[in-house]
Amino acid sequence: MRANLTRRRGPKPHERRAPAVRCPPPPVQPEAIRAALAQVAPQLLADFDRDRAASTVRAEVSVIPLRTFTEVWAVEVAIARHPETADRLHVLEARAAEVTDLGEARDIAAEISRIRNAAAEAGLRTAGEAAR
């Protein structure tokens, strides 16, 4: 499903960010994720709502799309909660679109992967702890 999600639109690294908003990691539930997103990255709400609508339609056949949707967006919130990390990710993604050197492309992909994996571990682990 990840490939079907729209590309996230966030502020460009050179754009000025407001000071970081303190927002506890939300449970992996659509409304909690949306509320957290409204605090830390309101510019992503339109993407969230569009993805949620698409996932809800597909959920009529299986619960997997809705579960995948909430997990993917929990990761987005985990990244957005740390503006420096979000900025670094945007720089890397922009560079990945331009790079022609295979070695550099691999290095960029590895760093993007590390950022996203760390966010997934933090976001989903915290959500699991909140559900207890």
Side-chain angles (χ1 to χ4, degrees), residues 17-19 24 27-28 31 41 53 68 70 75-76 80 95 97 104 111 125-126:
R17 277 190 179 269
V28 182
E31 286 308 314
T68 302
T70 55
V75 171
E76 293 300 320
R95 182 67 186 135
E104 185 179 358
E111 188 172 351
R125 179 184 64 241
T126 304

Side-chain angles (χ1 to χ4, degrees), residues 85-118:
T85 301
D87 286 346
R88 178 66 182 152
L89 183 60
H90 291 301
V91 167
L92 290 167
E93 289 171 340
R95 182 67 186 135
E98 300 169 351
V99 70
T100 57
D101 178 72
L102 183 58
E104 185 179 358
R106 285 182 178 142
D107 291 343
I108 291 169
E111 188 172 351
I112 289 172
S113 180
R114 282 191 297 273
I115 290 170
R116 292 202 164 275
N117 286 338

Side-chain angles (χ1 to χ4, degrees), residues 41-83:
Q43 73 279 4
L44 296 179
L45 286 173
D47 291 338
F48 175 90
D49 291 338
R50 184 176 44 254
D51 289 352
R52 184 178 186 181
S55 295
T56 301
V57 168
R58 287 189 298 270
E60 293 176 6
V61 177
S62 169
V63 298
I64 293 172
L66 193 54
R67 183 173 54 217
T68 302
F69 160 80
T70 55
E71 289 173 356
V72 166
W73 277 97
V75 171
E76 293 300 320
V77 169
I79 292 168
R81 288 180 62 241
H82 302 278

